[in-house]
Amino acid sequence: MNTKKGSAHPYIPNSAPEVKAKMLKEIGVNNIDELYSDIPETLKFKGNINLPKALPSEYALKRHVEEILSKNQTCEDNLSFLGGGCWQHYVPAICDEINQRSEFLTAYAGEPYEDHGRFQALFEYESLMAELLDMDVVNVPTYDWCQAASTSIRMACRITGRNEILLSDTVSPDRLLVINNYCRPIVNIKTLKHCPKTGAIDLNDLKSKISPRTAGIYFENPSYLGFLESQGNALSDIAHENGALSIVGVDPVSLGVIAPPSHYGADIVCGDIQGLGVHMNYGGGLAGFIATHDEEKFVMEYPSRLFGITKTAVKGEYGFGDVAYDRTSFGLREKGKEFIGTCSALWGITAGVYLSLMGPEGMQKLGKTIMQKSQYAMKKISEINGVKAPLFNAPHFKEFIVDFNDTKVPVKEINKSLLKHAIFGGKDLSDDFPELGSCALYCVTEIHTKKEIDSLVQVLSDVLNKTDIKKG
Amino acid sequence: MNTKKGSAHPYIPNSAPEVKAKMLKEIGVNNIDELYSDIPETLKFKGNINLPKALPSEYALKRHVEEILSKNQTCEDNLSFLGGGCWQHYVPAICDEINQRSEFLTAYAGEPYEDHGRFQALFEYESLMAELLDMDVVNVPTYDWCQAASTSIRMACRITGRNEILLSDTVSPDRLLVINNYCRPIVNIKTLKHCPKTGAIDLNDLKSKISPRTAGIYFENPSYLGFLESQGNALSDIAHENGALSIVGVDPVSLGVIAPPSHYGADIVCGDIQGLGVHMNYGGGLAGFIATHDEEKFVMEYPSRLFGITKTAVKGEYGFGDVAYDRTSFGLREKGKEFIGTCSALWGITAGVYLSLMGPEGMQKLGKTIMQKSQYAMKKISEINGVKAPLFNAPHFKEFIVDFNDTKVPVKEINKSLLKHAIFGGKDLSDDFPELGSCALYCVTEIHTKKEIDSLVQVLSDVLNKTDIKKG
Amino acid sequence: MKTTRLRKFHQAKWDEPIIFELTKKGERGLLISEAEKEIEESIGDGISALPDKMKRKKAPGLPEISQMRVLKHYLRLSQQCLGADLNVDIGQGTCTMKYSPKINEILIRSPKVTELHPLQDESTVQGALEIIYKLDTFLREISGLSQFSLQPGGGSSAIFAMASIIRAYHEANGEAEQRDEIITTIFSHPSDAAAAASKGYKIITIFQDKDGLPDVESLKNAVSNKTAGLLITNPEDTGIFNPRIAEFTRIIHDAGGLCGYDQANANGILGITRAKEADFDLCFFNLHKTFSSPHGCGGPAVGALGVTKRLINYLPVPIVGFDGEKYFLNYNLPRSIGKVRGFLGVFPVILRAYAWIMSLGALGLKEAASIAVLNNNYILNKVKQIHGASAPYAKGRHRIEQVRYSWEKLTEETGISTEEISCRMADFGFHLWSSHHPFIVPQPFTIEPTESYSKDEIDEYISALNEVAKEAYQNPEKVKNSPHNSVVHKIDNSTLDNPEKWAITWRAYLKKNKIKE
Amino acid sequence: MKTTRLRKFHQAKWDEPIIFELTKKGERGLLISEAEKEIEESIGDGISALPDKMKRKKAPGLPEISQMRVLKHYLRLSQQCLGADLNVDIGQGTCTMKYSPKINEILIRSPKVTELHPLQDESTVQGALEIIYKLDTFLREISGLSQFSLQPGGGSSAIFAMASIIRAYHEANGEAEQRDEIITTIFSHPSDAAAAASKGYKIITIFQDKDGLPDVESLKNAVSNKTAGLLITNPEDTGIFNPRIAEFTRIIHDAGGLCGYDQANANGILGITRAKEADFDLCFFNLHKTFSSPHGCGGPAVGALGVTKRLINYLPVPIVGFDGEKYFLNYNLPRSIGKVRGFLGVFPVILRAYAWIMSLGALGLKEAASIAVLNNNYILNKVKQIHGASAPYAKGRHRIEQVRYSWEKLTEETGISTEEISCRMADFGFHLWSSHHPFIVPQPFTIEPTESYSKDEIDEYISALNEVAKEAYQNPEKVKNSPHNSVVHKIDNSTLDNPEKWAITWRAYLKKNKIKE
Ligand SMILES: Cc1ncc(COP(=O)(O)O)c(C=O)c1O
Ligand SMILES: Cc1ncc(COP(=O)(O)O)c(C=O)c1O
């Protein structure tokens, strides 16, 4: 820190010596150490924290950080086909304009009186998502889809008073790690086999596993592996027939063209809103939503903040507030529903802005464009010798598996070669799904131009034709 | 434009067909063409404007423009020593935060009632500049230093009732082009010789040229060529003795350490505020200021807006408004002082933010750092065989001439070679000041690190030692 | 008239002190880069190089404030400012307060724009030159003229440049001294008169005829062998298109003058009618109006200046050329007036205009113009129904992009002036600008809706106007004492024209009011 | 008490409709990329690939609004929101509303941050990994612990992760079933209890003794061979540092439990005292509090979770390693609890914390802590002088970074509650948060000034508090009916707990109020 000549650090006004002295005097102490008199000497840290020297100026800080960041290669500098839980979509300028506003950026937990704007913006977010999902209750965002799925599962258990969940074995391995840890030891998580041809849940397996202990079935649309689970109605029916709930994870980006889970019987719907106007941010753009119908027994099981609209003392004026605040751990500590804290609200506001801009037509077009472009990519990729996409015989949205098994080249090698051509190939699935062999999960969105897809195809076939590529 | 299915362009809400129809009906016309009935058919443009097809999406627009812009190489990607009227200084983050605020960015000509913030921010800008300049009147910014100098000259002529100006022949050729055009045919511009050793104005030449026709003497500190004109007092005295005014152009960045022109008798001071927190923007960051003492005869000759502070109907409340609005061409058309219109107000607000952040200590440190770094650069450059800096035997601020004459290599060749090493060498002076031979104007500011200066010196000497460089 | 819900508005009011009042000794806003130790060792303090008389003796009297407090101050001030992004900004007629798309702001904030130095080698700024060149070619198409300079820093600067070119042209013909008159019209922008006068011209102003259009007979009387040229806005501030504009240019040309078209605001006529068809020699567009660059509290801006082929050589240098491979700076204009602004103009504004045009295309530009005109005539229809308001001239005819209205009747009947109404409009979150002097139209106000606002927003504005007009009759004190819901209350303007009292800076205020800091 | 000038404040009030009320058929907010013609030709409409039942039949009921109107709507809402940048945000105690430097925002907006995909090859994200790694090492120094995971998405998530690690640890020792109790204290954050309970633990809450500190005797009684661990905040929400904290950890350790330190808010003790010296096994910092990342209306955030050496293997995967040349992701934690958030955590928050630390260094961190404590005790001194206010517990002693105060006396004497005072504070542009339940301290309020606000700002806040307290005695109706200068008036909360009436979405509101759109 630069404290020459007794000037304060720009971030710490009252370290200006005269002010500091005045304040100490008012308190009636000689120095700041006295204020720490409650801390026993044995607990006091005697050394100096071992940190790099403070950078001498804002300019030096900027250069220092930019130098480190320059070591990153981005999805803008390169052509990326990575998805699998975080997606490259176009972020309209206004989304950033709004989430960068000082007022939203630096607000937190104020009352609806001073932070009316925050409450309204998040209420609108809930409402816009509700239209997309065709459900009447949506929460203020939680951390991410992983958490949203975990909480949906826990909600289902509390609602049904049961403690077993059946979930498709095509759920993302990462998400499963979160769910497992979040549910253990309260909930039993059991996986359901998928049909190797279509990816869909094996109904026989489901029927054999579902029982009066089952609180719910969890599946995703599109699944982590990109295919659509078209048996939504059947799955929900089976769940309901067994007194269990149908819990569906969904990519909201798809809902302009694909039926929302509420249309095939889902009771709890969850997913991530990162695709709705939030940059990937190395995964920092994730934010989870949970939606249900407007039934007390569902609403009362949310751990999240739920902002509701109401009236005020002035006729015609809208006011906002927390619905059923006393559910929460803020209200009830360990008696509350799970727990609540700082989550991802700013991305909720952003997604609200996004949906307001997109409107019904925008969401339809977006869905259509992604369907077209990803199908085009699958078609073209499949024209490469020994390569097949998609692996599953099913409709897909945005993501799909490219099967390289016939080329005998491991994905790892392919991706290494692609990287040399400034292409980030799809996620290698061979570690997480060893039974698939050399397969990769590709993601194609509205941001990919035909030219870029064609160039992927070109480079891929060049790379695979090279003799020096290491066969597995 | 994308108007499929009768949807409006996002920028044009009322082209939505239903709304449009309703409005036409209310007006009582059948179509918009009827509204143009005043335009004679002969004047109507029958063709379609020949423009590229509208880009189909915001995303396409972003990519299109970014692709073009990617052809630019910036002063961040490279190491630049360019100055000469536009300078690379550090822009504190908050300057951009404030000038990007929607409210300031998109405000314009509102009344002090709705735009109190704009008035206050610009009044504060005037006031902060006034401290830096130690003068009591500063205008709302004009276009740039070129314009500020031109108007200062015209003001001097009106104030003195004379029409001849003497100016140093070291004024920037570009600025001189503006001044000449702006003054012609009203004012006679005559140049004064400089001392070839020090760059300073030749007092004998001045004494021989000054006359009862002389409205003012104009010189700059630092001069375009980087040296300081240390005869300020003498120049002002000579002007005043002859009933003329002393007009000084100044770099406000220097005023933390260098005496402001008011301290050596200047009557009108002008310059550019780009260095005070505004990015270079390829020259779009320029904005000019004019300052005088608070005398009616000076104030009444400004063409600019001058925002003043006053009271309101509520005790203790500050109000703002235009001082002596009726001077302006808004008030008096051709009887007003020169003319006024949209200039560079946003950069004025920005410079105000900058000066608020810097404070007295910041401006002192900044000046000192620049003095040190530029002197270091001169010293090191001079250690290169055949190279000398500065050319003039005088104190310098920020900029200085590097004399390559002894190397026999033209600046053009040197700069070409430097560019290959990602260095933007100083501005080639050989066209504008042929008498100087192979000389370049280098600029060193607080943003240049020692390492960068050293690397310039290294590359320069390597380049000059190369046999293949074309000697002049 | 059916009225829309009136907004219960109050502007953010922070009651914020003047920045100097925030100072506290020892606070700092920013850490500054200092020279490295090795430099200090090699050079010393740097300042010793200055002769004593050139050293600043006392640090400038700037305030000392911590960073967050500075930020907070300016954020609060910003909230105390409307802006087209925040309000329905249709009451600042002649200013074309249209939507400035946010994507364009993202584009201009790129370091590929902000970190360019104007003296960089041409090879390093091919992107910037390409944008300038292409916008030039777009504007050629839009105007029908042959070459543009994007150097002028605003419309008034472009007018000054037009006057300069007119003079240079007559100089080349040896007629500069003789031709010392510029003709303009009273409803042309004040700068058309003022900037030309600054170039040394005598100004002849043509007044309106009973239709509000510049009187052709007066023009005929005005021209002579002293006529250097015509500088005329069309549509003028009244929003009436001058159907005889081609006659105007013919008369001037016949007299040996040049014609400069003030198309600062061409927002109603894009793709409909051009400078070329009306036979103008010069014209300019304000990129910060018609072409959507935001106004920035009053700039930076660009007045894009176009000329016919025979005047290209007179343009300010440099212009941007293209040799089929590379873009380059062309200084080779033998009759150039020189320069009117440093370097190449305000590049961010140029880039925004380029982006705006590319997002609309030819059809989109025409649609923007058409809807601007639709909106304007919709409002005209409504305002005429407000008791006390009128739209002088051109009765029963349509207008282009704006209308200069009058509260004459209302003022006569209630004593309430445009200025007072304007104050009261602030209570509803609206601007109502009183327009430029001279007030040929008594108690004038000018509304220019552009294409950017929805019908609902326009209806809301009209409702507020209607409400305030009603109040003027029913509760004039409420209007007189307004604003009530704004940042400040009725301002005491008396000090502003009084040299003893005016205070253009804080230090002057302290001195004149004998306040010790 | 000498009072500072009270600000004449009014919050921006735009009376803005709900976004759905702005819809107009045919308007659009954005042009969307469509597939190229060749793709359309090759693939068709793409949607046909869907089985009929998977097709959405009716477009989602989103509003249709033009771009500028959407922008305006949200800009207006933003102005109706305070935020640390705008107000003197010291009344949201326990939230550490400090300054978030704007330069850090510039840094996180770089495409080098925003456009990174979390699954990119390690070689392409060396910069990001370096930042994560270095921040980890900084936090190790600050806490004295051995390894951090920056994965948890907030403090509560970090608490959950701590509880998960505690469980995994006992599982490894075969004691997971037996050790099913977690001990916490009533003044620890609610999440310390709630997140542990979510992990299946029974919660034992230690209440305060007469000094406001958790009662050591109760702790001794609470521990047993069922004790899994302790989760405790220190200083607690009272701002009193628990001087016997080392005794707490000893008691827990002796009973075979692990100790988790909630240092979400370590703002008063940076460089002063550490988790290590108090012998904690785990701890976490909220980067969005102590380390200055802005709160974003409630996230995204990071709860940086640290552990001692023996617990590293239990951390969520991956952590970032460095082999002397390259940074890499380390999944090799054999006892890892798995994951608590997708991918690697919220990188922009991590980067901001890194930048904040680099701008202050060790001395600066300590200075920040010291001044936060100075400010807090200055306020304590002032609040105690306000009639009706008190600072329960620890009489005559100093506090660390915040104080939980009480209006008990004022409420008794005037009937005015904390909530009502909080409403009235809004009229002066201030937050006053009523803190978490349960309200052990009656009519509580918590003030936490941090190091970011100037004495003048603090004085202004105190003056307002004082004024409102005075009003409570002299003009209680004014307080009861407040706010008067805010966006809205007294809110009818009755519907919010009533399932028949609550409306969490616009569509629910329309249905329940039988409003047809
Ligand atoms: C018709 C017309 N001409 C000229 C101008 C002057 O333009 P500027 O303000 O950019 O100088 C304006 C701006 O209001 C205008 O409307
Ligand atoms: C002491 C303490 N612990 C835990 C938390 C919870 O952190 P978060 O809101 O990030 O979940 C907080 C936040 O208020 C806190 O102050």
Side-chain angles (χ1 to χ4, degrees), chain B residues 108 143 330 339-343, chain C residues 92-96 153-159 187-192 232-237 262-266 284-289 295 298-299 301-303 401-402 433 436 448:
Chain B
Y108 192 32
Y143 304 120
F330 283 156
F339 58 85
I340 181 64
T342 314
C343 296
Chain C
Q92 292 186 63
T94 81
C95 297
T96 318
S156 304
S157 173
I159 295 167
F187 282 130
S188 288
H189 190 274
S191 288
D192 290 311
I232 189 169
T233 307
N234 185 29
E236 293 177 307
D237 288 2
D262 177 343
Q263 302 252 284
N265 180 358
F284 77 94
F285 298 116
N286 277 1
L287 300 187
H288 49 299
K289 293 187 173 140
H295 291 73
V302 170
E401 86 293 9
Q402 64 192 359
W433 190 45
H436 315 289
E448 181 192 11

Side-chain angles (χ1 to χ4, degrees), chain D residues 131-170:
Chain D
I131 298 280
I132 295 173
Y133 181 83
K134 288 194 168 157
L135 182 60
D136 166 11
T137 62
F138 294 175
L139 297 176
R140 292 183 210 169
E141 294 298 329
I142 291 167
S143 65
L145 301 193
S146 303
Q147 171 76 47
F148 273 75
S149 161
L150 308 182
Q151 189 178 104
S156 305
S157 173
I159 296 167
F160 187 82
M162 293 206 295
S164 301
I165 290 174
I166 291 172
R167 196 183 147 83
Y169 172 84
H170 294 305

Side-chain angles (χ1 to χ4, degrees), chain A residues 24-301:
Chain A
L24 284 169
K25 199 170 153 210
E26 279 230 26
I27 300 173
V29 293
N30 293 311
N31 53 51
I32 289 176
D33 280 352
E34 286 186 34
L35 301 175
Y36 284 119
S37 49
D38 269 359
I39 304 181
E41 277 310 306
T42 48
L43 292 187
K44 282 212 179 126
F45 175 53
K46 298 296 170 349
N48 265 328
I49 321 175
N50 179 18
L51 294 175
K53 249 187 83 179
L55 290 163
S57 66
E58 186 177 298
Y59 173 61
L61 174 66
K62 183 157 185 272
R63 287 197 61 164
H64 167 80
V65 171
E66 285 179 348
E67 198 182 308
I68 298 178
L69 292 178
S70 72
K71 299 170 194 166
N72 292 337
Q73 284 291 319
T74 74
C75 297
E76 247 177 33
D77 312 330
N78 297 268
L79 176 56
S80 170
F81 294 94
L82 290 166
C86 185
W87 305 276
Q88 194 176 4
H89 288 286
Y90 179 63
V91 176
I94 290 178
C95 291
D96 285 337
E97 176 73 20
I98 297 301
N99 68 34
Q100 293 175 1
R101 289 279 294 180
S102 265
E103 293 89 338
F104 282 144
L105 181 68
T106 66
Y108 191 33
E111 307 290 330
Y113 296 101
E114 312 96 66
D115 279 358
H116 185 81
R118 170 169 70 94
F119 276 85
Q120 181 165 344
L122 284 164
F123 170 78
E124 290 179 351
Y125 157 75
E126 294 167 353
S127 302
L128 291 157
M129 284 297 288
E131 295 302 331
L132 201 56
L133 296 162
D134 210 359
M135 288 182 113
D136 286 359
V137 175
V138 177
N139 65 344
V140 174
T142 180
Y143 304 119
D144 60 4
W145 188 345
C146 300
Q147 182 64 43
S150 302
T151 285
S152 297
I153 285 168
R154 298 284 296 261
M155 284 171 67
C157 291
R158 289 194 295 274
I159 292 164
T160 59
R162 300 174 175 186
N163 71 350
E164 194 174 274
I165 292 286
L166 305 177
L167 53 71
S168 152
D169 64 356
T170 61
V171 166
S172 127
D174 255 36
R175 184 141 54 241
L176 207 50
L177 282 179
V178 175
I179 293 173
N180 275 330
N181 183 57
Y182 196 75
C183 290
R184 198 158 39 205
I186 309 289
V187 186
N188 252 322
I189 303 288
K190 294 198 171 160
T191 52
L192 298 168
K193 288 193 199 127
H194 67 272
C195 162
K197 272 219 169 120
T198 65
I201 287 174
D202 178 339
L203 292 185
N204 290 328
D205 191 44
L206 168 61
K207 282 176 194 156
S208 76
K209 286 177 178 161
I210 199 160
S211 79
R213 285 183 309 278
T214 309
I217 307 176
Y218 175 78
F219 63 96
E220 298 178 348
N221 241 339
S223 70
Y224 172 66
L225 300 177
F227 65 85
L228 291 173
E229 170 60 80
S230 300
Q231 311 170 111
N233 268 318
L235 291 165
S236 297
D237 287 349
I238 296 171
H240 294 156
E241 283 157 16
N242 287 276
L245 300 182
S246 168
I247 313 165
V248 182
V250 73
D251 179 357
V253 170
S254 70
L255 296 181
V257 294
I258 295 180
S262 56
H263 292 193
Y264 45 84
D267 302 291
I268 308 181
V269 178
C270 61
D272 212 291
I273 56 173
Q274 178 266 319
L276 303 177
V278 184
H279 296 278
M280 296 181 293
N281 283 308
Y282 200 42
L286 306 185
F289 70 86
I290 303 170
T292 61
H293 294 299
D294 188 6
E295 288 173 40
E296 186 178 359
K297 71 172 177 188
F298 282 84
V299 172
M300 291 308 289
E301 296 306 330

